[in-house]
Amino acid sequence: MPRSTKIFKRLQQKAEKRRIPLNALFELTHRCNLRCSHCYVDNENHTELTTDGVKKALDILKDNGTFFVIFTGGEAMLRSDIYEILTYAKISGFVTTLFTSGTIIDGNNAERLIKTGTDDYEMSIYSDIPSDHDALTGVDGSFKRTMGAARLLKSLGAKVTLKTVWSKLNFARVKEMYALADKLGCELRGAPYISVTNSGDTAHLNTRCNDDELTELFSSMYELQKERIDETFNEVRSKEYDYETLKDKRICGACVTKLRIDPYGNIYPCVAFGNAMGNITEDDFKSVWSGDSFAKSFCELRVTDIKKCRDCDRFAFCRYCPADSLKECSDMLIPTDEMCRVAKAHRTAFYNTMKKI
């Protein structure tokens, strides 16, 4: 079910109203064959859930209203039972997505993957220049393998989406990156958000774009996707001119319609929050979901609780993340400097583009 459809939006609204965990991100492993410099995952060495443990977790999610499951890692393809897990998820009725680098997918296993019925495959690329991509992943030849997997899966009829993290490495390659995706017949999605890891590591933040680079990035994206102008303009109007309508809107969907399960069964509000609320195979899920003190207090927060943003002219362009605020400011209701900086560049690029059309 495409998430842009009216049916999905109604489903999302009902789930939010009733606080149903409609969307689950399931990290099957933290092991990875790449060494991406910006990765937020802390590679812990614990015992991963068994195949039966993963199936039990999926059964619990299904019983509690989850419909969409994204399987990720680390590199999920490193699990020998990945095909069994993906097949079980589809048989159970989930809409499934596999996040993978594609570097382990080839002619020997691609058809086996297709037979699992997985709905979408999402792969990350960081540049259209192979050497630049490989420099970021830390593995020579990774670009060639990812592109080969994307082409192979597409040839077998799979839906493949390409993703990127916009950074100093690739902000000037927007046109080329979109051209690469078009050539493959894939959608390209990306964002310039590079966050502090859940363990507090900040070494990789030096890859963030500076102010001018961000403005150039957003300008290039608007030039390539003129239809985004109308979409953004409508959003700007709804946020900038009628702020009071947002008084009942939650800050984000974490703990409301979204959750994360790590490879050991721990339950988190989302991928960015590092404090577990419980364990899906060891604790009663309903008690964790409805009884966790952090979850309950978080769900009470509304957009209008972010006082600093109330009169900000960048508000409509802001991707506010309470988890990032907690990690960088020790307060979920204080926007980080990075959020404000990115929003400012986005706003500048939008209005500069508007003047040209």
Side-chain angles (χ1 to χ4, degrees):
M1 179 191 299
R3 300 196 179 202
S4 59
T5 64
K6 291 182 179 179
I7 294 176
F8 170 75
K9 290 178 180 178
R10 286 200 297 268
L11 182 63
Q12 187 75 15
Q13 289 169 354
K14 289 183 177 180
E16 183 173 346
K17 186 176 181 180
R18 296 170 58 188
R19 198 168 165 244
I20 296 173
L22 189 67
N23 310 277
L25 181 79
F26 205 140
E27 296 171 342
L28 294 175
T29 182
H30 281 168
R31 291 174 288 134
C32 192
N33 60 327
L34 301 181
R35 299 183 295 276
C36 299
S37 58
H38 63 276
C39 186
Y40 62 84
V41 174
D42 299 313
N43 195 352
E44 301 163 314
N45 186 22
H46 300 307
T47 302
E48 298 169 356
L49 289 175
T50 63
T51 307
D52 287 341
V54 172
K55 290 180 178 179
K56 178 181 178 181
L58 290 172
D59 290 342
I60 292 170
L61 290 173
K62 179 181 177 180
D63 290 343
N64 285 275
T66 301
F67 189 52
F68 300 95
V69 178
I70 296 172
F71 293 103
T72 184
E75 174 51 68
M77 287 294 296
L78 287 174
R79 285 193 62 132
S80 60
D81 57 357
I82 184 63
Y83 310 101
E84 183 175 354
I85 290 172
L86 292 173
T87 300
Y88 186 82
K90 283 306 298 179
I91 291 174
S92 298
F94 294 107
V95 175
T96 57
T97 299
L98 177 64
F99 285 1
T100 174
S101 67
T103 54
I104 302 176
I105 300 172
D106 56 26
N108 296 316
N109 60 11
E111 289 189 0
R112 191 177 179 189
L113 263 181
I114 295 297
K115 289 178 181 178
T116 66
T118 300
D119 295 282
D120 191 9
Y121 297 87
E122 297 197 4
M123 301 180 187
S124 294
I125 59 167
Y126 303 111
S127 177
D128 62 299
I129 302 173
S131 59
D132 286 350
H133 174 94
D134 292 355
L136 194 146
T137 64
V139 176
D140 290 341
S142 58
F143 177 87
K144 182 178 180 180
R145 282 184 279 164
T146 296
M147 291 297 97
R151 292 189 187 94
L152 181 55
L153 290 176
K154 286 288 294 183
S155 73
L156 294 172
K159 179 185 177 184
V160 179
T161 302
L162 299 182
K163 304 182 300 179
T164 195
V165 176
W166 297 113
S167 67
K168 283 184 173 296
L169 175 73
N170 60 12
F171 79 93
R173 306 292 300 178
V174 173
K175 181 178 180 180
E176 291 80 3
M177 295 273 281
Y178 276 98
L180 175 63
D182 287 342
K183 186 175 181 180
L184 290 170
C186 301
E187 177 188 2
L188 174 65
R189 297 203 302 260
Y193 306 111
I194 301 175
S195 301
V196 175
T197 67
N198 289 338
S199 65
D201 184 22
T202 61
H204 58 295
L205 299 187
N206 61 3
T207 61
R208 287 173 169 173
C209 295
N210 64 33
D211 294 354
D212 291 338
E213 291 166 348
L214 282 170
T215 302
E216 180 180 338
L217 167 67
F218 285 117
S219 297
S220 297
M221 292 175 69
Y222 277 124
E223 287 295 326
L224 287 170
Q225 297 177 298
K226 291 289 175 47
E227 68 275 9
R228 292 187 63 191
I229 291 291
D230 290 336
E231 294 173 6
T232 304
F233 184 69
N234 290 334
E235 189 172 4
V236 169
R237 287 186 60 84
S238 69
K239 287 185 176 181
E240 284 194 339
Y241 301 112
D242 197 11
Y243 190 99
E244 285 303 312
T245 63
L246 299 174
K247 62 184 178 182
D248 294 323
K249 183 177 176 61
R250 290 187 170 97
I251 292 178
C252 78
C255 290
V256 182
T257 61
K258 300 177 182 179
L259 58 78
R260 167 174 69 109
I261 308 294
D262 76 7
Y264 325 111
N266 297 312
I267 305 168
Y268 299 84
C270 72
V271 71
F273 278 108
N275 296 323
M277 302 185 294
N279 190 285
I280 195 165
T281 60
E282 298 173 3
D283 303 318
D284 177 68
F285 181 83
K286 291 185 184 299
S287 297
V288 172
W289 188 248
S290 61
D292 181 76
S293 58
F294 173 81
K296 287 195 292 187
S297 61
F298 182 81
C299 289
E300 294 299 317
L301 297 177
R302 297 295 185 269
V303 170
T304 46
D305 290 325
I306 313 170
K307 303 302 182 185
K308 183 177 179 180
C309 301
R310 185 175 181 86
D311 299 316
C312 180
D313 61 3
R314 310 170 195 172
F315 177 74
F317 302 89
C318 184
R319 172 260 194 194
Y320 196 95
C321 176
D324 283 351
S325 290
L326 189 62
K327 284 184 285 189
E328 296 190 39
C329 305
S330 301
D331 190 327
M332 290 188 292
L333 297 178
I334 297 178
T336 67
D337 290 342
E338 182 66 4
M339 291 178 203
C340 299
R341 199 172 66 84
V342 174
K344 179 181 180 181
H346 191 174
R347 184 182 189 278
T348 299
F350 173 75
Y351 282 111
N352 285 347
T353 306
M354 286 284 287
K355 292 175 183 178
K356 297 177 183 179
I357 59 177

